[in-house]
């Protein structure tokens, strides 16, 4: 009964919401009469002021205007009468009767004055004013069929490139090179998707049903990471368009005149619409703006077509070009919808030397990729929402593959645009390439540089940057590891490694596996065992302890290490896109190495120090992550998040230490919450903030408390305090804030010399406040150099320059508190590799 009543109430609310939405149109009706005689005036003109939306009165003087494109007043006029204006209440239905005064005709002097305003500005003002009306989200509901085709191409394929010896075993693939473009290109990956999209405004909900998908080629997760924005929609009606993580100013942004020069260059019929052609260029070099043209429909001032590309001087790395073409059509009266969407990205990432056949000296050739996205939308249904139950559920994307989509006939019948003969040949060519060993070798070399692993059939060896390292406890350390590849299985993965230290003369090792119980929904298990040396109190973002760069670029000897033997198993469940739970069981044995000691003070029979030797813990934990609206490009096991989320990402970690289980010695409860948000701030850049707080209940030795993340290398670590030493501060309750702002060249772009260098400014602030109950020292004595936050929060601030040589960032960091501690400095210089667009 209650369920039926709830559905009835929901249906009523949906109907009410539909009424409210339709009331967003402005309906004005009434009668036009002679003010003296009261007689109706037929064929009088009634129109909204500063608009081309209007109508004429009928033979009885009656008129009706019902439109989304209302302004704040209407004006009525007729031959022989004085024109008159009336105020209008927008988004409401109203009756306005108009009485016009007869006019006595007198010839007056006519003075013609030149207008000083750019004629493009008047059109632009109307476009901006009508943006809320022309944005499809004004509608109560809509649905349509979508077709998306994404293609990745290897570009700049020169004749010298194709004749290299390495390519001789698969020279046939170059028969598919398309040389009609400025850069000859070779397709290497293509995917097609057919789907249905449903939108409801109140309560707001959008859901996409995937009906068919087809993939062919050499999809590389590293390329997908760079090309992720190919899967995102560019909404020209937004003030700022987030592309490659940068805030580009839309040509029809509310304040667009501050960033663009506009020109009215033409007016003509485009399709069946009379349109004005506006061209636009950035006012200043290096600003993230577009250059191009758009056709604006008369009367509605909606964008009918736009063709735009990133300006050549934009402060952007690796992107040689970015072009977008969109077409909007009026699918119903006063309803404009995007019907065609084309996106092209020219990404240059590899520079090589090419020797010409005539013996001339080498020349540099830039190798890169094209990313192409072609989308079309049709079969629109407007303002006809489905039943409320249709929109129930949390998934925004539902995969309901039509079984017929596995066959070629399905695609021939349902593609919005049929493939060309060359595109059909691509499917065969790219699948054939995957079977050629030499081509796989070329792909594997590039993949190894990007991922750290070298693939050999069913096994991947690596990561290579951990092969050799050094620390004072192990001495020179050699490591060999590997994991199974996707050729072994796309459902389960095994991983293992062994390492040996020349100084401690001990082997270390680890084994791990992960696999899917289900992919829809995502249900993933993990299990691992390891016995190795670790650095406690190091952020997950820092160099690994066995990374060769972490061994070389150190400011203090790495002598506070821990021998860790760990068994771990977990089960991860994604309930819907962006919401995940993970249940984990972990058993650890810790032993102090180097300068660390596990000592307890005993008072009976005489005061003495007792060496504990090792610590044992058994822990059960629940991890929750919620990132509302998060979307991914998925590999077989790992995923790459796309786009900038509107809401913060929230994480919660709950853990309980189980005493007595497998000789576990401690009972405790841990609660840690974290919130992360990236803030897009328009022309002043972007900021990311992380707020974290934690509380530990129980009496524990210091290795099991909250060891605040320090950094004892010269490498800049975003997720730690870079002027804090390892184990310097320990808490059982704390709150910390990290904030980092990227100005994206806001100031440097205005200085000619620095503008050419394309340097960008960055600033950061980090702070942590906490406390520590001294009861914990009864379990284990704190060593010299270990402190609580007894005198208020620890803070550090930094200012830096990024994008130096496109890959480097340098920061000066000031330690603002606790400068009296040993082995610390009031300021520091840090650097990092930072590859960014």
């Amino acid at each position: 009964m209650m369920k039926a009543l709830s559905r009835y109430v929901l249906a009523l609310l949906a109907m009410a919401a539909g009424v409210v939405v339709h009331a967003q149109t402005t309906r004005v009706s009434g009668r036009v009469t002679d003010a003296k005689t009261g007689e109706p005036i037929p064929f009088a003109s009634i129109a909204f002021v500063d608009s081309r939306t209007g109508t004429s009165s009928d033979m009885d003087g009656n008129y009706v205007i019902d439109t989304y494109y209302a302004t704040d007043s209407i004006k009525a006029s007729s031959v022989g009468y004085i024109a008159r204006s009336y105020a209008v209440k927008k988004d409401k239905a109203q009756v306005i009767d108009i009485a016009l005064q007869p006019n006595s005709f007198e010839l007056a002097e006519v003075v013609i004055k030149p207008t000083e305003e750019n004629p493009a500005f008047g059109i632009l003002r109307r476009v901006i004013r009508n943006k809320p009306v022309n944005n499809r989200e004004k509608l109560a509901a809509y649905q349509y069929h979508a077709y998306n085709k994404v293609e990745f191409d290897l570009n700049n394929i020169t004749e010298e490139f194709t004749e290299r010896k390495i390519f001789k075993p698969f020279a046939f693939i170059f028969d598919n090179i398309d040389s009609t473009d400025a850069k000859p290109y070779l397709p290497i990956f293509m995917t097609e998707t057919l789907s249905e999209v449903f939108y409801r405004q109140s309560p707001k909900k959008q859901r996409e049903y995937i009906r068919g998908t087809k993939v062919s080629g050499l999809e590389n997760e590293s390329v997908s990471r760079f090309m992720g924005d190919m899967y995102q929609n560019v909404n020209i009606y937004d003030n700022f368009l987030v592309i490659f993580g940068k805030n580009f100013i839309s040509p029809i942004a509310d304040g667009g005149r501050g960033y663009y020069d506009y020109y009215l260059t033409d007016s003509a019929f485009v399709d069946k619409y009379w349109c004005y052609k506006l061209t636009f260029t950035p006012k200043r070099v290096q600003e993230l703006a577009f250059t191009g043209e758009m056709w604006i429909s008369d009367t509605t001032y909606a964008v009918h077509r736009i063709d735009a590309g990133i300006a050549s001087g934009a402060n952007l790395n690796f992107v040689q070009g970015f072009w977008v073409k969109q077409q909007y059509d009026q699918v119903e009266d006063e309803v404009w919808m995007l019907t065609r969407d084309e996106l092209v990205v020219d990404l240059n990432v590899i520079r090589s030397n090419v020797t010409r056949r005539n013996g001339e000296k080498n020349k540099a050739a830039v190798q890169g990729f094209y990313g192409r996205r072609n989308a079309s939308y049709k079969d629109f249904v407007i303002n006809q929402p489905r039943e409320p139950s249709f929109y129930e559920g949390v998934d925004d994307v539902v995969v309901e593959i039509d079984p017929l989509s596995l066959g070629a006939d399905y695609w021939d019948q349902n593609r919005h645009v049929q493939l060309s003969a060359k595109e059909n040949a691509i499917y065969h060519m790219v699948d054939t390439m995957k079977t050629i060993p030499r081509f796989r070798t070329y792909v594997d070399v590039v993949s190894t540089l990007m991922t750290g692993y070298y693939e050999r059939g069913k096994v991947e060896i690596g990561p290579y940057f951990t092969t050799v390292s050094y620390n004072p406890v192990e001495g020179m350390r050699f490591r060999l590891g590997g994991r199974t590849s996707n050729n072994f299985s796309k459902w389960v993965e095994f991983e293992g490694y062994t390492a040996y230290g020349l100084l401690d003369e001990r082997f270390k090792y680890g084994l791990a596996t992960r696999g899917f119980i289900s992919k829809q929904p995502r249900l993933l298990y993990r299990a691992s065992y390891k016995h190795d040396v670790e650095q406690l109190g190091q952020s997950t973002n820092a160099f690994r302890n066995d990374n060769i760069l972490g061994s070389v670029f150190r400011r203090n000897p790495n002598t506070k290490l821990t021998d860790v033997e760990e068994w771990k198993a977990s089960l991860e469940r994604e309930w819907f896109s962006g919401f995940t739970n993970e249940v984990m069981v972990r058993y650890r044995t810790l032993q102090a190495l180097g300068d660390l000691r596990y000592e307890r003070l005993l008072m009976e029979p005489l005061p003495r120090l007792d060496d504990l030797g090792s610590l044992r813990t058994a822990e059960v934990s629940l991890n929750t992550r919620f990132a509302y609206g998060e979307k991914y490009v998925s590999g077989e096991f790992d995923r790459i998040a796309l786009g900038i989320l509107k809401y913060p990402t929230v994480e919660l970690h709950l853990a309980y230490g189980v005493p007595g289980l497998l000789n576990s010695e401690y009972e405790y409860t841990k609660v840690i919450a974290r919130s992360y948000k990236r803030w897009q701030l328009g022309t002043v850049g972007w900021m990311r903030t992380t707020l974290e707080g934690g509380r530990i209940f129980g009496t524990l030795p210091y290795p099991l408390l909250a060891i605040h993340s320090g950094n004892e290398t010269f490498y800049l670590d975003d997720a730690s305090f870079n002027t804090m030493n390892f184990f310097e501060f320990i808490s059982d309750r704390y709150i910390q804030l990290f904030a980092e702002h990227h100005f994206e060249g806001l100031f440097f772009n205005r200085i000619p010399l620095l503008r050419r260098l394309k340097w960008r400014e960055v600033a950061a602030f980090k702070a942590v406040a906490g406390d520590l109950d001294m009861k914990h020292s009864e379990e284990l004595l704190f060593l010299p150099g270990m402190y609580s936050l007894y005198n208020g929060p620890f803070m550090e601030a930094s200012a830096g320059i990024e994008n130096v040589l496109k890959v480097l960032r340098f920061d000066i960091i000031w330690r603002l508190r606790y400068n009296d501690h040993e082995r610390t400095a009031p300021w520091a210089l840090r650097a990092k590799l930072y590859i960014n667009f």
Side-chain angles (χ1 to χ4, degrees):
M1 177 66 179
M2 287 299 295
K3 186 174 182 180
L5 180 59
S6 297
R7 290 197 174 187
Y8 177 70
V9 172
L10 284 173
L12 287 178
L13 290 174
M15 291 170 64
V19 171
V20 171
V21 170
H22 285 293
Q24 288 181 349
T25 62
T26 301
R27 180 182 175 88
V28 182
S29 60
R31 195 169 185 233
V32 184
T33 59
D34 187 301
K36 288 186 176 181
T37 66
E39 292 293 322
I41 302 176
F43 310 120
S45 175
I46 306 97
F48 284 96
V49 174
D50 197 23
S51 170
R52 291 183 178 273
T53 300
T55 188
S56 298
S57 59
D58 62 16
M59 292 297 296
D60 297 319
N62 297 314
Y63 74 95
V64 176
I65 308 176
D66 192 352
T67 182
Y68 286 109
Y69 299 95
T71 62
D72 57 5
S73 59
I74 58 172
K75 186 174 184 179
S77 61
S78 183
V79 176
Y81 291 88
I82 300 173
R84 187 175 179 183
S85 297
Y86 292 82
V88 171
K89 295 179 181 179
K90 295 174 68 173
D91 302 331
K92 294 183 180 297
Q94 57 217 277
V95 176
I96 300 178
D97 290 324
I98 300 169
L100 298 182
Q101 292 285 348
N103 189 12
S104 57
F105 291 95
E106 293 183 4
L107 293 177
E109 179 181 5
V110 177
V111 180
I112 300 176
K113 295 182 179 179
T115 178
E116 296 181 0
E117 185 183 48
N118 183 337
F121 291 166
I123 298 171
L124 185 65
R125 274 197 304 272
R126 294 174 176 86
V127 172
I128 293 172
R129 185 185 65 203
N130 286 343
K131 277 168 58 175
V133 179
N134 290 319
N135 196 328
R136 62 187 181 182
E137 293 188 2
K138 72 181 181 186
L139 302 170
Y142 60 76
Q143 66 187 67
Y144 57 83
H145 288 81
Y147 168 73
N148 278 273
K149 180 179 69 176
V150 175
E151 178 184 323
F152 292 159
D153 310 320
L154 188 66
N155 69 22
N156 209 21
I157 307 295
T158 62
E159 184 179 355
E160 292 86 351
F161 182 88
T162 63
E163 293 181 355
R164 291 178 179 178
K165 291 182 180 179
I166 188 174
F167 297 128
K168 283 187 177 180
F170 42 90
F172 76 93
I173 66 174
F174 297 119
D175 295 337
N176 293 278
I177 289 177
D178 193 324
S179 58
T180 59
D181 200 84
K183 295 180 182 180
Y185 62 90
L186 177 67
I188 59 173
F189 169 76
M190 182 186 292
T191 179
E192 295 178 276
T193 304
L194 284 164
S195 62
E196 291 181 81
V197 177
F198 300 85
Y199 171 84
R200 179 188 64 188
Q201 189 194 69
S202 181
K204 191 171 184 179
K205 182 69 176 181
Q206 178 166 308
R207 176 168 292 156
E208 181 176 13
Y209 288 86
I210 306 296
R211 302 305 188 193
T213 182
K214 186 175 183 180
V215 180
S216 184
L218 296 162
E219 184 176 20
N220 183 281
E221 291 183 22
S222 300
V223 174
S224 295
R225 183 179 298 275
F226 277 99
M227 293 293 199
D229 279 22
M230 295 298 301
Y231 298 89
Q232 300 295 299
N233 291 321
V234 175
N235 186 355
I236 202 70
Y237 284 97
D238 291 336
N239 285 329
F240 293 95
L241 312 178
V242 181
I243 302 171
F244 300 112
K246 309 297 183 185
N247 294 319
F248 282 81
I249 302 141
S250 170
I252 57 173
D254 292 349
R257 286 173 58 178
Y259 303 94
Y260 288 97
D261 290 320
Y262 297 91
Y263 306 95
L264 175 60
T265 58
D266 198 0
S267 59
F269 275 104
V270 179
D271 300 326
K272 58 182 179 180
Y273 310 106
W274 182 259
C275 295
Y276 303 107
K277 180 182 179 182
L278 299 187
T279 61
F280 47 89
T281 57
K283 280 183 175 293
R284 290 170 291 274
V285 180
Q286 303 290 95
E287 277 192 336
L288 299 178
F290 297 93
T291 181
E293 62 186 39
M294 53 187 169
W295 289 89
I296 307 300
S297 173
D298 190 15
T299 306
T300 63
Y301 293 95
V303 176
H304 177 40
R305 290 182 181 177
I306 185 167
D307 187 347
I310 292 176
S312 59
N315 192 341
L316 202 62
N317 295 327
F318 309 116
V319 179
Q320 186 74 12
F322 178 95
W323 301 272
V324 59
K325 293 182 180 180
Q326 293 185 334
Q327 178 168 321
Y328 296 80
D329 287 307
Q330 197 165 211
V331 297
E332 287 189 4
D333 288 342
E334 299 189 345
V335 176
W336 289 82
M337 300 292 285
L338 179 65
T339 56
R340 297 280 298 177
D341 191 6
E342 298 179 18
L343 203 66
V344 179
V345 178
D346 183 0
L347 181 66
N348 291 339
V349 293
I350 304 172
R351 183 176 294 272
S352 60
N353 289 325
V354 178
T355 303
R356 299 178 182 177
R357 288 186 296 173
N358 59 11
E360 293 183 15
K361 63 181 181 179
N362 290 356
K363 64 177 181 178
V366 179
Q367 212 67 59
F369 297 92
Y370 278 140
R372 304 174 187 270
R373 175 176 178 265
N374 286 274
S376 65
Y377 313 98
K378 67 177 185 179
D379 299 336
F380 293 92
V381 178
I382 306 299
N383 287 335
Q384 297 181 29
R386 298 290 188 98
E387 292 295 325
S389 59
F390 178 82
Y391 301 96
E392 291 177 357
V394 292
D395 287 320
D396 293 332
V397 179
V398 179
V399 180
E400 290 187 356
I401 300 297
D402 187 333
L404 297 176
S405 68
L406 300 176
D409 291 343
Y410 174 89
W411 291 94
D412 291 339
Q413 295 172 11
N414 291 280
R415 281 189 188 99
H416 294 191
V417 180
Q418 293 302 310
L419 297 182
S420 64
K422 182 172 285 294
E423 287 174 324
N424 275 312
I426 289 171
Y427 272 120
H428 174 72
M429 185 270 294
V430 294
D431 287 334
T432 303
M433 283 195 303
K434 291 188 290 186
T435 66
I436 302 173
R438 188 68 65 86
F439 191 85
R440 288 298 321 178
T441 300
Y442 177 79
V443 173
D444 289 344
V445 170
V446 176
S447 180
T448 300
L449 295 174
M450 300 294 291
T451 66
Y453 285 87
Y454 176 64
E455 183 178 344
R456 292 289 295 173
K458 297 182 178 181
V459 176
E460 296 178 356
I461 302 171
Y464 62 82
F465 47 78
T466 64
T467 304
V468 180
S469 59
Y470 173 83
N471 65 70
V473 174
E474 297 177 277
M476 291 296 296
R477 171 186 165 113
F478 298 92
R479 182 186 186 280
L480 179 63
R483 64 188 182 189
T484 57
S485 69
N486 293 338
N487 293 326
F488 172 81
S489 173
K490 295 181 180 180
W491 281 82
V492 63
E493 178 185 84
F494 297 97
E495 184 175 5
Y497 74 91
T498 184
Y500 183 79
L502 297 183
L503 183 60
D504 65 353
E505 298 181 338
R506 289 179 53 230
F507 280 99
K508 296 87 181 174
Y509 41 85
L511 295 170
T513 182
R514 62 175 175 170
F516 286 100
I517 299 173
S518 167
K519 291 191 175 183
Q520 290 293 336
R522 185 180 174 91
L523 185 61
L524 184 70
Y525 71 85
R526 296 182 179 89
S528 65
Y529 169 79
K530 72 174 179 180
H531 194 172
D532 205 346
V533 174
E534 285 189 17
Q535 174 66 69
L536 301 184
Q538 178 174 265
S539 80
T540 56
N541 201 40
F543 273 139
R544 293 170 49 142
N545 190 53
D546 54 3
N547 190 309
I548 183 62
L549 296 179
S551 303
V552 174
F553 298 108
R554 298 195 61 83
R555 60 183 178 87
N556 286 327
N558 194 9
T559 58
K560 299 177 182 178
L561 298 174
T562 302
D563 181 89
V564 179
E565 184 179 18
E566 178 182 80
W567 300 82
K568 185 167 63 176
S570 68
L571 184 65
E572 177 186 301
R573 171 68 151 85
E574 183 179 57
W575 301 98
F576 55 89
S577 181
F579 184 72
T580 304
N581 284 132
E582 182 182 34
V583 178
M584 180 185 296
V585 179
R586 183 172 69 167
Y587 180 80
R588 291 198 302 170
T589 301
L590 309 179
Q591 289 183 299
L593 298 175
D595 293 341
L596 291 184
R597 298 288 183 271
Y598 292 169
E599 295 178 333
R600 178 187 299 167
L601 179 62
L602 300 179
M603 301 304 294
E604 295 180 359
L606 295 173
R608 62 186 176 87
L609 294 177
D610 180 37
D611 189 347
L612 294 188
S614 64
L615 309 174
R616 293 183 178 87
T617 64
E619 181 180 283
V620 178
S621 63
L622 173 64
N623 301 314
T624 301
R625 182 178 183 275
F626 181 47
Y628 180 75
E630 189 168 47
K631 297 181 180 180
Y632 310 93
V633 172
S634 296
E636 297 303 334
F637 292 95
D638 299 311
R639 304 185 296 183
I640 302 166
L642 296 178
I644 310 299
L645 298 182
K646 182 178 180 180
Y647 300 102
T649 297
V650 179
E651 298 175 358
L652 179 64
H653 171 74
L654 303 174
Y656 174 69
V658 185
L661 179 62
L662 300 176
N663 297 319
S664 173
E665 302 164 324
Y666 302 98
E667 182 178 15
Y668 58 87
T669 302
K670 292 184 179 181
V671 180
I672 300 173
R674 182 183 299 110
S675 176
Y676 168 85
K677 179 73 173 80
R678 173 166 169 155
W679 310 85
Q680 297 298 127
L681 302 176
T683 55
V684 298
W686 60 275
M687 175 185 288
R688 60 183 176 187
T689 56
T690 303
L691 181 65
E692 179 181 313
R695 181 74 166 94
I696 300 174
F697 302 90
T699 303
L700 296 174
Y702 68 80
L704 303 182
L705 296 171
I707 304 170
H708 298 298
S709 299
N711 181 16
E712 294 190 1
T713 72
F714 293 106
Y715 190 85
L716 180 69
D717 182 359
D718 297 336
S720 70
F721 295 93
N722 288 283
T723 59
M724 183 188 292
N725 294 324
F726 291 135
F727 288 95
E728 184 176 355
F729 291 101
I730 300 174
S731 302
D732 59 13
R733 49 197 180 275
Y734 70 95
I735 184 169
Q736 70 181 28
L737 172 68
F738 288 5
E740 184 176 83
H741 187 86
H742 297 254
F743 292 93
E744 299 287 20
L746 177 67
F747 305 110
F748 289 166
N749 285 348
R750 287 160 172 77
I751 303 172
L753 177 60
L754 297 179
R755 183 172 64 215
R756 293 175 63 86
L757 295 173
K758 293 190 176 182
W759 289 357
R760 303 167 187 166
E761 319 84 349
V762 60
F765 175 78
K766 301 177 181 179
V768 57
D771 203 355
L772 180 67
D773 196 317
M774 294 314 297
K775 67 181 181 180
H776 301 293
S777 61
E778 299 173 4
E779 288 293 333
L780 211 60
L781 289 177
F782 292 91
L783 301 181
M786 295 183 181
Y787 305 91
S788 67
L789 291 162
Y790 60 90
N791 195 28
F794 176 89
M795 295 185 292
E796 65 181 28
S798 66
I801 300 173
E802 59 184 357
N803 207 44
V804 178
L805 302 177
K806 295 186 178 182
V807 295
L808 293 174
R809 171 177 163 181
F810 296 94
D811 278 36
I812 297 177
I813 307 169
W814 292 272
R815 180 175 168 129
L816 304 178
R817 302 291 307 280
Y818 297 97
N819 289 328
D820 56 335
H821 289 186
E822 294 182 0
R823 299 170 65 188
T824 63
W827 66 276
L829 179 65
R830 298 287 182 266
K832 70 177 292 186
L833 286 169
Y834 182 61
I835 299 175
N836 186 29
F837 287 108

